[in-house]
Amino acid sequence: MDFVQVSEEEGDEPIELPAEEDGTLLLSTLQAQFPGSCGLKYRNMDTKAVRGVRSNEGRLFPPSVDSSWGEYIYFCVFPKGIAHFRSSAAQIDSPYRPILPPVENKRKSDDNLENSTAKTKRIETRLRCTDLIVLGLPWKTTEDSLREYFESYGEVLMAQIKKDVKSGQSKGFGFVRFGSYEAQMRVLSNRHLIDGRWCEVKVPNSKGMGHQVPCKVFVGRCTEDINSDDLREYFSKFGEVTDVFIPRPFRAFSFVTFLDPDVAQSLCGEDHIIKGVSVHVSNAAPKAEQNRSHQGQNFNYNSGNNFGMHSYHHQGNHMNSGRSGHHRGNNQHNAHGSGDNPTIGNSHSNIGSGGYGMGGNNFGGNSGGGYNNSGSHNSGGNMNRQDGGMPYNRQNNYHGMNQPHNGNVGSGGWMNQQNRGHLDMPNLQALGINPQGSSSSNQGQNMNNPLGVGLNLNSLPMNPALVAAALNQWSLLGNQLQNQNQDQQGGNFLSWVAQNSGHSNASNMNNCGGRKGSNNPNSGSAGMIKGDNSGCNDQQNGNSGWSNQSSGSNSVDKSNFL
DNA sequence: GTTGAGCGTT
């Protein structure tokens, strides 16, 4: 039997670990001796560089072709972003000390953690142990064996298997609680082979995200060749990645969850190059909160007062200061106040301002601080949506509440759908529309554009031509004006833009919401929410034509994945 | 005695 010499850190006394018959070393074998470790590395004699050991499916592979581990002394790799505590070393010296990442991993958000009451409270919350759910347990696993397994990570306060009350048969999942936060962190950062099955350990849903700072980020502008491993590998350098989710079918975005919410937050607003592709990281709002926000929006649409919605998001913004800051849902913050949209010339028009999130225009231009005229409801509402809202809020903006043919008045022109998590988020930036007016490389593909052209004001150009160009590339402009003949005489931003920038050039967007009977030769492609057309209702009754899906499934809805 | 995504009689 081959033995592999492993030490916790380079230079430490090694322990010999038995390799398997095929020459591999089981990760579980490694972790039995070095709890929390997730891999091995060694110092290459020739290059003097540290080399990682290949790891796959819970096995570590010897570096040489002859399946030999050689005479190297390997040392452990611990997940980044998680301090590992040497068994004999001093433990954490303060309950308020976060699990700080290695020095090289330290990011801005770690600065000044101390001396901040708010942050301290947050850390305190974060450091609290919670029950963890263990999913995928073998039927045979007992509470004793479950406990036994997890004790290698630290003190186990509780180990529980959920069973059918009648039969006593395990339901295949259980809960475990640790006595120390670091043990919990280690457990959460690893995969677990328990009684022969790979199990997943998570913070249970029932714990909710509550007041916790989100750990998940939205990664926009992904290309199809960026797989979950790529994302995981890339983002792991910033901190432990606990989950990567790529919606299928491909939708040009994905989600990455970090163990440390600070890491997640610190990345928000940044562009990163992965496999040569510039992706954009932004906030991924918790689903529950999004739904709540959504409801609030509808309500607020009618009231003409959109402030206060998304309040959750405001609160969450404390971490973005100084960085990109999404200011989600915060109209006031988002308002650039430039008031310089040259295209809003007619008295009706909130379009372009409300829709595009150019708060300044609305605020200043339309209502002088009233934010909205009740009928036109909502500058605030739309502009804030960095998500799927169409910038085009026509019925409300134009008709207000009294349009006889507008069945949807009062329910928010764009989001009449029900049962949808609904779009909160995808912002232009994330979708590839940047201040340079260029868009991502998906142009022209059948991309099922997840867009909501909600806008991230921080990234928006104020030059409408650039906005137009960008939108145009995403096929958002094309024919959204099909109702224009009825509703407006003076033209609006979109019409201006359309006139000045031509039509959409991506023809296969599966847009929906086109209005039957429209004069628009391209009706049916005008809406905005793409995908297959299920859930898209061509409107015959004067509804906005945007997204009246009752069960639409293809709009870009981050919340569906959270 | 089967199952394999899920979320706990506190």
Side-chain angles (χ1 to χ4, degrees), chain A residues 244-255:
Chain A
V244 172
F245 179 64
I246 301 177
R248 300 292 178 204
F250 175 68
R251 296 222 259 159
F253 60 88
S254 54
F255 295 96

Side-chain angles (χ1 to χ4, degrees), chain A residues 206-249:
Chain A
S206 54
K207 297 293 178 190
M209 282 297 288
H211 311 86
Q212 293 180 10
V213 178
C215 300
K216 182 173 292 190
V217 297
F218 175 87
V219 183
R221 272 188 254 140
C222 292
T223 55
E224 207 154 6
D225 68 325
I226 297 178
N227 60 36
S228 57
D229 286 341
D230 297 328
L231 289 166
R232 183 180 292 274
E233 181 182 349
Y234 177 82
F235 284 109
S236 289
K237 65 187 178 190
F238 301 107
E240 174 68 6
V241 172
T242 58
D243 186 50
V244 172
F245 179 64
I246 301 177
R248 300 292 178 204

Side-chain angles (χ1 to χ4, degrees), chain A residues 140-148 159-163:
Chain A
K140 66 182 180 187
T141 297
T142 64
E143 293 185 345
D144 283 344
S145 64
L146 184 67
R147 174 183 292 272
E148 191 178 339
Q160 186 178 55
I161 301 282
K162 289 300 163 191
K163 303 169 188 158

Side-chain angles (χ1 to χ4, degrees), chain A residues 80-374:
Chain A
K80 281 198 173 184
I82 299 177
H84 85 272
F85 299 90
R86 301 166 64 105
S87 50
S88 57
Q91 293 291 304
I92 223 175
D93 57 9
S94 161
Y96 296 100
R97 171 80 64 86
I99 303 300
L100 289 174
V103 171
E104 70 272 18
N105 206 27
K106 187 176 172 67
R107 295 183 63 83
K108 292 177 186 175
S109 58
D110 291 318
D111 293 337
N112 305 317
L113 280 182
E114 278 76 10
N115 305 323
S116 165
T117 304
K119 285 186 176 177
T120 301
K121 278 185 180 172
R122 202 182 72 236
I123 291 164
E124 189 177 7
T125 301
R126 285 172 39 208
L127 291 180
R128 206 175 294 146
C129 287
T130 65
D131 292 351
L132 303 178
I133 189 167
V134 188
L135 298 165
L137 286 169
W139 314 118
K140 66 182 180 187
T141 297
T142 64
E143 293 185 345
D144 283 344
S145 64
L146 184 67
R147 174 183 292 272
E148 191 178 339
Y149 171 82
F150 282 113
E151 276 176 341
S152 64
Y153 287 87
E155 183 189 13
V156 174
L157 301 179
M158 178 274 292
Q160 186 178 55
I161 301 282
K162 289 300 163 191
K163 303 169 188 158
D164 181 88
V165 280
K166 291 179 183 173
S167 65
Q169 171 67 267
S170 165
K171 289 183 177 175
F173 70 96
F175 293 88
V176 61
R177 188 177 185 110
F178 290 90
S180 70
Y181 191 74
E182 56 268 31
Q184 172 171 316
M185 295 292 267
R186 283 191 217 115
V187 167
L188 284 170
S189 65
N190 279 301
R191 297 177 71 206
H192 301 279
L193 187 60
I194 303 175
D195 292 337
R197 247 186 93 88
W198 284 108
C199 301
E200 196 176 10
V201 178
K202 302 169 163 180
V203 173
N205 294 337
S206 54
K207 297 293 178 190
M209 282 297 288
H211 311 86
Q212 293 180 10
V213 178
C215 300
K216 182 173 292 190
V217 297
F218 175 87
V219 183
R221 272 188 254 140
C222 292
T223 55
E224 207 154 6
D225 68 325
I226 297 178
N227 60 36
S228 57
D229 286 341
D230 297 328
L231 289 166
R232 183 180 292 274
E233 181 182 349
Y234 177 82
F235 284 109
S236 289
K237 65 187 178 190
F238 301 107
E240 174 68 6
V241 172
T242 58
D243 186 50
V244 172
F245 179 64
I246 301 177
R248 300 292 178 204
F250 175 68
R251 296 222 259 159
F253 60 88
S254 54
F255 295 96
V256 175
T257 306
F258 293 90
L259 198 58
D260 185 345
D262 280 351
V263 172
Q265 287 300 310
S266 70
L267 292 169
C268 285
E270 293 183 348
D271 289 315
H272 290 262
I273 307 290
I274 303 176
K275 293 177 92 171
V277 174
S278 171
V279 301
H280 183 79
V281 181
S282 62
N283 285 314
K287 188 174 186 175
E289 295 297 337
Q290 284 199 323
N291 291 337
R292 192 183 309 167
S293 296
H294 186 199
Q295 289 160 10
Q297 276 182 336
N298 283 334
F299 174 79
N300 283 321
Y301 281 163
N302 295 332
S303 69
N305 173 9
N306 287 293
F307 293 100
M309 60 181 236
H310 284 168
S311 59
Y312 164 82
H313 297 315
H314 291 239
Q315 294 164 5
N317 264 337
H318 53 282
M319 326 206 64
N320 269 332
S321 58
R323 296 173 76 83
S324 82
H326 290 282
H327 304 296
R328 303 161 64 164
N330 188 328
N331 294 327
Q332 290 144 315
H333 290 179
N334 277 338
H336 286 213
S338 61
D340 60 356
N341 186 332
T343 67
I344 300 188
N346 70 72
S347 59
H348 298 291
S349 182
N350 279 330
I351 283 184
S353 41
Y356 284 97
M358 296 178 184
N361 297 316
N362 270 344
F363 294 164
N366 285 340
S367 53
Y371 299 106
N372 236 321
N373 304 317
S374 58

Side-chain angles (χ1 to χ4, degrees), chain A residues 491-521:
Chain A
N492 57 29
F493 177 64
L494 284 178
S495 63
W496 178 88
V497 141
Q499 288 162 12
N500 287 283
S501 63
H503 290 288
S504 162
N505 57 8
S507 60
N508 202 14
M509 298 285 289
N510 290 331
N511 282 335
C512 62
R515 186 172 169 222
K516 285 181 181 173
S518 155
N519 293 329
N520 191 316

